[in-house]
């Protein structure tokens, strides 16, 4: 297993650890530790992709696990936020549903030996989701001092980009659905 794949696997393994710290208020500084784990896990996403491309070590395992690891991390955060009443369940549902739909489109495409590259909308969606999640983990710091709920504002923006990117994936790949029987 190459280094990029090890980083991807490490990200998957960090997800339950992140959740344990985020949800356990009995652990001192649990929220700060959860934030650090989330940021480290998020950074491994950029790092593993860079390493795989720069070393020409792109593998089937990496193609499968990298997007799955990202989804697990984001979904874990969203579920914890709903449980902690930091975001509405409707918001989490829209984001999670989009991930299922896009994964389904990718599976259909793969069955026809078609690879779907990430779009600019998908990248914007990811950036806004990660920013919103980090702001929530920071308890809206520093915006809480000036009375702006920037964490929720960014999550609304992320939800909008989630819908746009989901539609974009469908629209750009709608021909995949013509051969379904």
């Amino acid at each position: 297993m190459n280094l990029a794949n090890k980083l991807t696997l490490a990200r998957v393994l960090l997800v339950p650890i992140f959740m344990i710290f985020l949800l356990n208020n009995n652990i001192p500084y649990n929220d700060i530790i959860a934030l650090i784990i989330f940021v480290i896990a998020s950074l491994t996403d950029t790092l593993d992709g860079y390493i795989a491309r720069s070393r020409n070590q792109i593998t089937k395992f990496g193609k499968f696990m990298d997007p799955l690891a990202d989804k697990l991390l984001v979904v874990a955060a969203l579920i914890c936020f709903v449980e902690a009443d930091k975001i509405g369940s409707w918001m989490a549902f829209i984001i999670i549903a989009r991930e299922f739909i896009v994964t389904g489109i990718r599976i259909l495409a793969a069955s026809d030996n078609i690879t779907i590259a990430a779009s600019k909308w998908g990248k914007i969606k990811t950036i806004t989701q990660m920013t919103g999640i980090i702001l929530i983990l920071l308890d809206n710091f520093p915006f809480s001092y000036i009375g702006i709920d920037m964490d929720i504002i960014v999550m609304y923006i992320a939800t909008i980009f989630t819908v746009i990117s989901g539609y974009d994936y469908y629209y750009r790949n709608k021909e995949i659905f013509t051969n379904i029987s």
Side-chain angles (χ1 to χ4, degrees):
M1 182 175 286
N2 65 37
L3 179 59
N5 289 344
K6 287 178 183 175
L7 287 170
T8 299
L9 195 55
R11 188 162 67 256
V12 171
L13 296 174
L14 284 174
V15 171
I17 298 167
F18 162 73
M19 292 180 77
I20 289 167
F21 280 100
L22 185 58
L23 294 174
N24 193 338
N25 293 326
N26 296 323
I27 300 171
Y29 306 106
N30 68 310
D31 50 348
I32 294 169
I33 296 169
L35 170 66
I36 291 167
I37 291 169
F38 185 85
V39 169
I40 289 170
S42 297
L43 291 174
T44 65
D45 181 32
T46 303
L47 187 59
D48 66 10
Y50 171 77
I51 290 170
R53 286 186 298 278
S54 68
R55 296 181 181 181
N56 198 23
Q57 295 179 339
I58 297 171
T59 64
K60 286 184 181 181
F61 177 84
K63 286 180 184 180
F64 171 73
M65 283 303 294
D66 184 62
L68 182 60
D70 299 340
K71 288 170 184 32
L72 289 173
L73 183 62
V74 169
V75 168
L78 296 175
I79 289 170
C80 291
F81 293 160
V82 169
E83 182 173 331
D85 203 27
K86 293 187 182 232
I87 65 168
S89 57
W90 66 270
M91 190 178 289
F93 174 78
I94 289 171
I95 293 170
I96 294 168
R98 182 261 185 213
E99 298 306 335
F100 276 113
I101 292 166
V102 168
T103 298
I105 292 170
R106 286 179 181 243
I107 289 169
L108 281 174
S111 70
D112 290 335
N113 293 320
I114 299 169
T115 302
I116 299 175
S119 72
K120 71 175 182 177
W121 293 112
K123 291 177 183 180
I124 293 169
K125 179 256 332 167
T126 299
I127 290 166
T128 56
Q129 282 179 359
M130 295 300 190
T131 303
I133 290 168
I134 289 170
L135 283 170
I136 291 171
L137 290 170
L138 286 169
D139 203 21
N140 199 37
F141 176 82
F143 301 100
S144 58
Y145 291 112
I146 55 175
I148 298 174
D149 293 331
M150 189 58 73
D151 53 353
I152 298 304
I153 292 169
V154 173
M155 286 306 298
Y156 274 107
I157 293 167
T159 305
I160 291 166
F161 280 122
T162 296
V163 172
I164 292 169
S165 69
Y167 176 77
D168 179 60
Y169 267 96
Y170 168 76
Y171 183 78
R172 287 187 306 115
N173 300 287
K174 63 184 176 226
E175 69 280 352
I176 293 169
F177 294 100
T178 59
N179 296 328
I180 298 176
S181 52

